[in-house]
Amino acid sequence: MKNHISVFISYAWNKQNKDFVDWLYTFLSDKNKVLEQKINVFMDRNSTRLGDDLNLFMTGTLINSDFVICLLDNEYLERMDMPGTGVFQEVNEIKKNKNNIQIIPIHVYGHDQPSGVFNKLKYITININNPDDNKNIDAYQQLLDKIFSNTDTVNMLKPKGYKCGIDNLIKKAFIQENRNFNPRLSGTSTINTAFNNGTFSFGSGQQLFTTMWTHASNNEVYSYNVQNSNSQRKQYLYVCTQKKYEDINNPLDVDVNECLYISWSPEKPFSNGTVLLWINEHKIMMVGKISDISKDSLKLTYKIL
């Protein structure tokens, strides 16, 4: 069994694709270390540095990868027939090396059906507007089944059915453990408090916020002030008692007398409509509004300011 599986992500540059590809990159990188085999994920922005030859990177890395994930939205399907574009070059390399690499087409929900070199390939449909949505779980299972179709996680002397059952349980754990984040600077995310001890992260880099949640009842939740290992760089959590979520677009919009600081856990649980403020260790603010609390999940509409 190989210790590493290499995956190249091919996509057309646009804002919507960028957000999803960033999410997919982090998801497949297995930050929670669930899988035995490590996935090395390659994409132009995260795998190159200033001054690198992008053409050399695209051709060299692509043809040496075990799998190439192609994100097929309408823009990708148009550019693959347009000479001079990066997509055109990557698709040509895929055609030339199709016997040596495995292609995983991802059809973007709501866009045209795959065509050209992808026309006869089995594809996976994903709604990339909300990647952590539970409706995408089956698609992520299909993706992992493709990447780990020959994984050897248990003794080869065991019956094939036994081995497949073990693999499926491990993949399910992977999906649950690695969907607890949203790298976008604003949006709405569904948080399942039963997974990852109720933790969910928003943003990335210096704009990263780690939140933690538990249920008090079927219509109330607690949110906790999560701290990192460096006691000198704190994260702060507040309940905004007066200001509406829509009216907070700058830290100056917040009246300190209308905010209740939470050192660890709140005295009373939160209900739908509660507005929370976070300040992370880099002194960046995020504001969020709770909604749709159910038995084991809630939604948070948020924006990082």
Side-chain angles (χ1 to χ4, degrees):
M1 179 177 66
K2 292 175 60 177
N3 290 328
H4 296 80
I5 295 175
S6 57
V7 175
F8 183 94
I9 303 177
S10 175
Y11 66 102
W13 284 17
N14 60 52
K15 178 65 168 61
Q16 186 180 42
N17 285 351
K18 175 187 176 299
D19 289 341
F20 175 73
V21 168
D22 285 343
W23 187 94
L24 185 63
Y25 179 92
T26 304
F27 173 74
L28 290 176
S29 298
D30 191 14
K31 58 188 175 63
N32 290 307
K33 300 179 175 61
V34 175
L35 301 172
E36 288 184 37
Q37 290 175 285
K38 180 177 175 59
I39 307 176
N40 287 336
V41 187
F42 299 97
M43 51 185 276
D44 47 15
R45 294 194 324 281
N46 293 47
S47 306
T48 58
R49 294 175 297 181
L50 187 65
D52 286 350
D53 187 324
L54 287 179
N55 290 332
L56 183 62
F57 163 77
M58 287 190 295
T59 55
T61 308
L62 186 152
I63 64 177
N64 289 302
S65 295
D66 297 308
F67 297 91
V68 176
I69 295 175
C70 299
L71 189 62
L72 306 180
D73 66 341
N74 290 343
E75 197 164 344
Y76 191 102
L77 297 176
E78 292 174 3
R79 292 186 188 181
M80 70 182 191
D81 295 320
M82 296 172 56
T85 65
V87 171
F88 178 85
Q89 182 176 346
E90 290 175 8
V91 170
N92 274 349
E93 292 297 332
I94 290 171
K95 290 177 181 177
K96 289 189 291 186
N97 296 276
K98 62 182 180 180
N99 294 326
N100 300 319
I101 55 177
Q102 297 191 60
I103 305 168
I104 305 178
I106 292 181
H107 167 237
V108 176
Y109 177 79
H111 288 242
D112 294 341
Q113 297 296 310
S115 59
V117 67
F118 307 104
N119 187 39
K120 297 181 179 180
L121 297 178
K122 183 178 179 180
Y123 55 82
I124 302 167
T125 299
I126 296 179
N127 182 352
I128 70 172
N129 288 321
N130 193 7
D132 55 304
D133 194 304
N134 289 335
K135 294 179 181 178
N136 283 329
I137 289 180
D138 287 344
Y140 299 142
Q141 180 71 45
Q142 294 175 49
L143 178 60
L144 294 179
D145 285 344
K146 182 70 175 178
I147 294 175
F148 295 103
S149 58
N150 297 313
T151 186
D152 183 22
T153 56
V154 293
N155 193 312
M156 290 301 295
L157 296 178
K158 296 286 187 181
K160 183 177 180 181
Y162 179 100
K163 178 178 180 296
C164 289
I166 294 293
D167 285 348
N168 287 337
L169 288 170
I170 292 174
K171 291 169 187 173
K172 183 175 181 179
F174 177 96
I175 294 171
Q176 290 183 355
E177 293 283 350
N178 287 284
R179 288 192 307 128
N180 62 328
F181 69 96
N182 190 333
R184 297 181 179 180
L185 297 181
S186 63
T188 300
S189 286
T190 300
I191 301 169
N192 193 315
T193 58
F195 300 154
N196 303 290
N197 295 317
T199 61
F200 197 99
S201 297
F202 300 89
S204 61
Q206 292 191 348
Q207 294 174 306
L208 178 67
F209 292 80
T210 300
T211 66
M212 185 176 180
W213 309 81
T214 60
H215 267 74
S217 66
N218 287 347
N219 53 19
E220 291 181 314
V221 294
Y222 289 107
S223 184
Y224 301 88
N225 189 2
V226 182
Q227 300 300 326
N228 60 29
S229 57
N230 186 346
S231 61
Q232 301 300 314
R233 307 185 73 176
K234 293 186 63 176
Q235 176 166 287
Y236 302 85
L237 172 61
Y238 301 84
V239 183
C240 193
T241 58
Q242 301 294 327
K243 209 79 169 182
K244 293 182 179 180
Y245 171 83
E246 295 77 12
D247 294 334
I248 303 176
N249 298 293
N250 186 293
L252 295 177
D253 293 333
V254 180
D255 186 336
V256 294
N257 296 315
E258 297 176 350
C259 293
L260 176 63
Y261 172 65
I262 299 173
S263 60
W264 165 238
S265 64
E267 294 183 4
K268 297 181 180 180
F270 305 135
S271 56
N272 287 327
T274 301
V275 177
L276 300 176
L277 301 175
W278 288 264
I279 299 176
N280 72 5
E281 59 185 274
H282 299 288
K283 298 184 178 180
I284 305 296
M285 177 182 285
M286 179 176 82
V287 56
K289 181 180 179 181
I290 298 172
S291 65
D292 295 351
I293 300 174
S294 62
K295 181 180 178 181
D296 56 6
S297 67
L298 67 135
K299 287 186 178 180
L300 188 77
T301 298
Y302 72 97
K303 49 190 173 185
I304 298 174
L305 305 179

